[in-house]
Amino acid sequence: MAKLIIKFNNDVVDHIELKQGDMKLGRKPGCDIVLDNLAVSGEHANIFTIGGDSFIQDLNSTNGTFINNKKITKHHLRNGDQVVIGKHTLVYMSDAAQSERPTEDFAKTVIISPSAREAVAPAAAPTPRPAAPIAPTTPAPQQGALFVLSGANSGKRIELTKPVTNLGKTGKRAGSITREADGYTLAVGEDDPPKLNGRAVGADGAKLKNGDIIEVAGTRLQFYLK
């Protein structure tokens, strides 16, 4: 469980546990983490947590966001990092083991434009349930996304809104993710097939589950459902 120790003028004023997903930080009362100081913008920064990883992104604030005395736009938080916003210091503490991340540049891995396929016809509007019991309909799948865990684009979020998203190096398709009625499927491509949770993906592909780790072209991605 990760948390922030919030200090103001070096005095500890609060402890905030970070929840999974987005937590907005700023001076506005509606923010998840409120810092009541004029040096803080209304919506100053956003912290995104998935699994044991947390990322902070500055939201074009007036006075900027600093990590360990360096101004940042986006940063993958590490245990002990000190986030300075105005006169507030937020110390990031995490119990998760900090493993070494691959240094392969994500620029070598691209998300190619979705394959040209016919759009899936929208589901018909539900009709009122009759008095007699009927078989339940299959619920629509949750929206999927990929979160980049390594490389220069660490922290980037890729929404899986298209029927097919191809993965791989430029000009070479290592695999693809297909959105289907019952969820998302990872399939292998022609070159450098991806791994799922450390294991090679078979020719029949594999259904993706929330939190799965995909390794492709030297980059680690995490699949999650919103």
Side-chain angles (χ1 to χ4, degrees):
M1 177 69 70
K3 65 179 180 180
L4 292 175
I5 299 173
I6 301 180
K7 299 181 179 180
F8 183 74
N9 289 334
N10 294 321
D11 294 326
V12 176
V13 296
D14 204 354
H15 294 73
I16 302 290
E17 290 190 354
L18 297 180
K19 65 181 182 181
Q20 295 291 301
D22 293 293
M23 293 185 72
K24 195 161 290 184
L25 185 155
R27 197 174 73 251
K28 285 184 178 179
C31 291
D32 299 286
I33 302 173
V34 178
L35 301 179
D36 188 11
N37 185 267
L38 292 178
V40 182
S41 296
E43 293 184 350
H44 196 104
N46 186 72
I47 295 178
F48 181 80
T49 301
I50 182 168
D53 294 281
S54 296
F55 302 82
I56 187 168
Q57 181 173 4
D58 185 82
L59 299 177
N60 297 317
S61 64
T62 301
N63 294 318
T65 301
F66 296 80
I67 307 288
N68 306 326
N69 298 319
K70 293 183 179 180
K71 189 174 183 180
I72 60 93
T73 300
K74 182 168 55 180
H75 178 78
H76 183 183
L77 290 167
R78 304 287 183 173
N79 189 45
D81 276 351
Q82 296 193 37
V83 183
V84 177
I85 296 176
K87 295 183 179 180
H88 286 83
T89 299
L90 290 70
V91 183
Y92 177 76
M93 304 297 292
S94 175
D95 295 331
Q98 299 297 316
S99 59
E100 292 293 326
R101 303 292 184 184
T103 57
E104 191 89 23
D105 192 320
F106 185 70
K108 296 179 182 178
T109 303
V110 295
I111 306 299
I112 306 170
S113 298
S115 300
R117 297 203 175 184
E118 292 185 4
V120 179
T127 55
R129 180 184 290 272
I134 61 173
T137 57
T138 302
Q142 293 176 275
Q143 174 64 50
L146 295 175
F147 202 76
V148 184
L149 297 178
S150 68
N153 282 321
S154 179
K156 182 178 180 180
R157 180 165 42 188
I158 302 165
E159 305 291 341
L160 299 176
T161 58
K162 302 297 183 180
V164 179
T165 301
N166 292 328
L167 307 173
K169 296 179 181 179
T170 304
K172 295 182 179 181
R173 185 171 66 88
S176 63
I177 296 177
T178 303
R179 184 177 186 178
E180 300 172 333
D182 58 348
Y184 291 82
T185 299
L186 174 65
V188 299
E190 296 85 4
D191 302 283
D192 192 16
K195 292 183 179 180
L196 181 63
N197 300 321
R199 297 184 179 182
V201 177
D204 294 334
K207 286 289 184 184
L208 290 173
K209 301 184 297 296
N210 193 38
D212 278 348
I213 300 295
I214 301 169
E215 297 174 66
V216 58
T219 299
R220 296 174 72 246
L221 310 165
Q222 186 164 28
F223 172 81
Y224 69 100
L225 295 169
K226 298 190 292 181

